[in-house]
Amino acid sequence: MEKIIADDPRYADLAGKRFNKRFTGKPEYIRLPQTTEEVIVAVQEAVSSKLRLVVRSGGHCLEGFVTDPAVQVIIDMSLMTGISYDSERFAFMVEAGATVGEMYRRLFLGWGVVLPAGEHPGIGMGGHVLGGAFGFLCREYGLAADYLYGIELVAVDAAGKAHSVIATREATDPNRDLWWAHTGGGGGNFGIVTRYWLRSPNVTGAVPAETLPKAPVSITTFRVSWDWKDFDETSFSSLMRNFGEWAQQHSGPDSAYTQLFSLLFLNHRNLGKLEMKGLSTAGKKAVQLIDEHLAAIAAPIGLPYTKQIEETPWLRFALNPFPELFQPGFDNAQAKVKDAFFRKACTEKQIATAHKYLTMAINVGGGLGMATYGGKVNTVPPEATASAQRDAILDVACNAGWGDPQGEAATLEWVRSFYMSLFEDTGGVPVPNAQTDGCMINHPDTDVADPEWNKSGVPWYTLYYKENYPRLQQVKSKWDPLNIFHHALSIKAAD
């Protein structure tokens, strides 16, 4: 296992492997382990040399945790891509360097099953699952973390010795708290995950094809688009209100619409379009569900729109979902994403705020995205996993991107002010209350730890972890007592 340093032809590719090009780092070297033993060696070397290390799988972190200039060593997991059925644990084993797309492909072709996970097939499993992991299938099947049976972790003990440990959800497992922390505790906190084991919560048998949910036969997608110029504030408000009210009515686990997932893209007016995209796994009933969904949201507005419905085999969709969302250039973005969970629909004041910022006379590439949530996700008690938000109806994000560095300052000011105004009544952030429920750690935002942008008095860790944070601190104290694994929003050990 070589040290890949700056004069190695692989260094530029590996050092530059990140979704958000807003951040750049220059590590002293990068390691590409292929086994757990090599991860232990790489970690021990960095710890013994007192070098700051981080781990990376897919490189899709929205903040600069891996590309922090203080980072001296990157342990890149992208050569650890094994996926197999473990007949001893009756669970699927997925190594941390596998991508979501490769996981979908192998599970489907090998056994006809699926793990509900993220939307972009290039995301790495390593950092995705342990942050909860939601995606297109979450309303029907829940979060990927809800299927986590066990992990293998490389940790560092109080003596500075790197070692591996396995933790499972078995009630008799002495390391069960370590497993629990990886069901939503976020990446870069406890050590380096090398392997996941995945199995549906109530499955005990040894039949691989029954270990995870059966994959959908097909995916029926829909795309709806309106011209922004046709909208005034009244019609815009109706669209946003209808979407929120639909989510509020249909996000329970017993909803007839758990097999439907929908995204509303409220783009800035200078982008020309307002859009909805979504999908259903309901087979012959899919078009009916979609039509009913649009009848509740789009039809009452009374404005013309285009509609496209298409049926695609599951794997083809999973490996290239909504290509226009992940088109060439997607991985060259400089971006800021500010996330929030909603328990109830947006208020009239929040809708007016959205209209104000989305029609503002400023040349920005951004908007407000709203994704339906809930369904099966909301069948799990908040303390059962580290993913604490278990009665949300929407995941909402203020987002902005830019290509020209000269556009960064104005765009950041716009998206930060938009988010802060949206939550003006609670100090600029979505504090856990009757309407909002904090943020998703897989969509980290360092602003929530900055008193300039968070005036709520509620600390950042409560926004992400709520009442689960003290337990996560205890796990941190036990498994990373030297705080080897840390970043701008990492869990702090209990005193």
Side-chain angles (χ1 to χ4, degrees):
M1 182 180 51
E2 305 164 74
K3 278 185 182 177
I4 298 172
I5 58 176
D7 62 357
D8 189 300
R10 295 167 291 181
Y11 181 90
D13 276 328
L14 288 167
K17 184 181 130 183
R18 62 198 186 281
F19 159 69
N20 195 348
K21 298 299 192 287
R22 181 178 161 211
F23 305 102
T24 56
K26 194 173 182 182
E28 292 183 18
Y29 65 87
I30 300 161
R31 291 285 199 192
L32 278 166
Q34 298 189 55
T35 65
T36 299
E37 291 69 29
E38 289 188 346
V39 175
I40 294 172
V41 169
V43 170
Q44 188 65 67
E45 175 190 50
V47 171
S48 298
S49 302
K50 294 184 167 50
L51 297 176
R52 169 83 185 280
L53 73 104
V54 296
V55 60
R56 176 183 64 200
S57 53
H60 286 80
C61 182
L62 294 174
E63 289 286 4
F65 298 162
V66 174
T67 45
D68 184 336
V71 167
Q72 296 161 295
V73 179
I74 293 177
I75 298 177
D76 186 291
M77 302 297 287
S78 57
L79 293 183
M80 292 186 65
T81 58
I83 298 170
S84 62
Y85 180 75
D86 185 332
S87 57
E88 292 184 11
R89 292 187 171 85
F90 307 136
F92 287 101
M93 186 282 297
V94 178
E95 289 187 323
T99 63
V100 166
E102 180 63 2
M103 179 270 299
Y104 285 145
R105 190 183 75 85
R106 295 287 298 278
L107 291 183
F108 179 70
L109 294 181
W111 301 276
V113 299
V114 69
L115 177 78
E119 297 164 4
H120 180 35
I123 292 170
M125 287 289 286
H128 184 53
V129 175
L130 59 82
F134 99 107
F136 294 128
L137 304 181
C138 70
R139 286 167 53 83
E140 183 174 4
Y141 296 125
L143 304 177
D146 298 339
Y147 294 81
L148 184 61
Y149 173 75
I151 60 154
E152 180 180 63
L153 185 80
V154 172
V156 179
D157 65 20
K161 180 175 173 54
H163 61 101
S164 66
V165 58
I166 290 174
T168 72
R169 68 178 178 223
E170 296 291 347
T172 55
D173 191 327
N175 300 328
R176 191 176 190 276
D177 260 9
L178 184 61
W179 158 82
W180 175 87
H182 285 78
T183 59
N189 279 310
F190 310 106
I192 297 178
V193 176
T194 51
R195 292 189 282 179
Y196 291 110
W197 284 273
L198 303 156
R199 189 173 84 197
S200 295
N202 299 317
V203 170
T204 56
V207 180
E210 298 174 359
T211 300
L212 288 171
K214 292 196 182 309
V217 174
S218 64
I219 297 290
T220 302
T221 58
F222 66 92
R223 294 170 172 86
V224 169
S225 177
W226 296 265
D227 282 329
W228 234 123
K229 61 180 171 53
D230 293 338
F231 280 79
D232 58 16
E233 185 166 3
T234 300
S235 51
F236 173 88
S237 300
S238 295
L239 174 59
M240 191 169 169
R241 186 183 307 115
N242 293 348
F243 192 84
E245 289 177 352
W246 187 94
Q248 192 162 312
Q249 292 168 13
H250 299 292
S251 291
D254 56 351
S255 167
Y257 295 92
T258 55
Q259 289 182 292
L260 186 143
F261 177 87
S262 185
L263 294 155
L264 177 62
F265 295 91
L266 298 170
N267 303 313
H268 190 279
R269 187 167 58 184
N270 64 24
L271 298 178
K273 299 286 185 183
L274 296 169
E275 300 170 293
M276 275 179 66
K277 301 179 196 289
L279 60 90
S280 176
T281 60
K284 293 178 181 178
K285 280 189 62 180
V287 172
Q288 177 189 335
L289 294 181
I290 291 167
D291 285 345
E292 291 169 356
H293 183 58
L294 297 177
I297 295 168
I301 300 167
L303 294 176
Y305 60 87
T306 63
K307 181 174 79 171
Q308 177 187 352
I309 293 180
E310 181 181 3
E311 186 176 3
T312 310
W314 156 245
L315 188 61
R316 189 185 306 169
F317 169 82
L319 296 181
N320 193 23
F322 297 110
E324 68 273 19
L325 295 182
F326 309 118
Q327 57 192 313
F330 169 75
D331 279 338
N332 288 314
Q334 298 180 63
K336 183 66 175 178
V337 178
K338 300 176 70 64
D339 174 89
F341 281 116
F342 278 68
R343 286 169 147 161
K344 293 182 180 177
C346 291
T347 64
E348 292 302 309
K349 181 179 178 181
Q350 288 171 324
I351 291 172
T353 295
H355 184 266
K356 172 187 170 183
Y357 276 87
L358 295 174
T359 57
M360 198 173 276
I362 180 174
N363 184 27
V364 294
L368 186 70
M370 306 176 74
T372 55
Y373 204 72
K376 186 68 176 290
V377 176
N378 292 351
T379 62
V380 178
E383 71 281 358
T385 66
S387 300
Q389 290 86 357
R390 293 294 183 165
D391 60 359
I393 67 167
L394 291 166
D395 181 65
V396 176
C398 295
N399 55 77
W402 58 94
D404 184 348
Q406 293 191 347
E408 178 173 344
T411 305
L412 276 175
E413 175 65 27
W414 175 81
V415 73
R416 285 168 163 162
S417 297
F418 183 4
Y419 188 83
M420 200 168 187
S421 297
L422 206 58
F423 304 109
E424 181 181 42
D425 292 346
T426 52
V429 294
V431 300
N433 60 24
Q435 192 219 1
T436 54
D437 204 21
C439 316
M440 184 186 299
I441 193 59
N442 266 357
H443 299 162
D445 172 18
T446 55
D447 289 351
V448 299
D450 185 340
E452 180 181 357
W453 301 108
N454 178 1
K455 300 183 184 300
S456 69
V458 176
W460 68 265
Y461 48 80
T462 300
L463 298 176
Y464 288 112
Y465 301 119
K466 300 175 62 178
E467 289 81 8
N468 286 339
Y469 188 64
R471 185 175 173 189
L472 288 166
Q473 289 185 285
Q474 295 291 338
V475 177
K476 176 73 169 179
S477 297
K478 180 176 180 180
W479 292 101
D480 187 23
L482 301 181
N483 197 30
I484 298 298
F485 301 95
H486 64 275
H487 52 72
L489 294 177
S490 56
I491 292 164
K492 304 296 187 288
D495 291 335

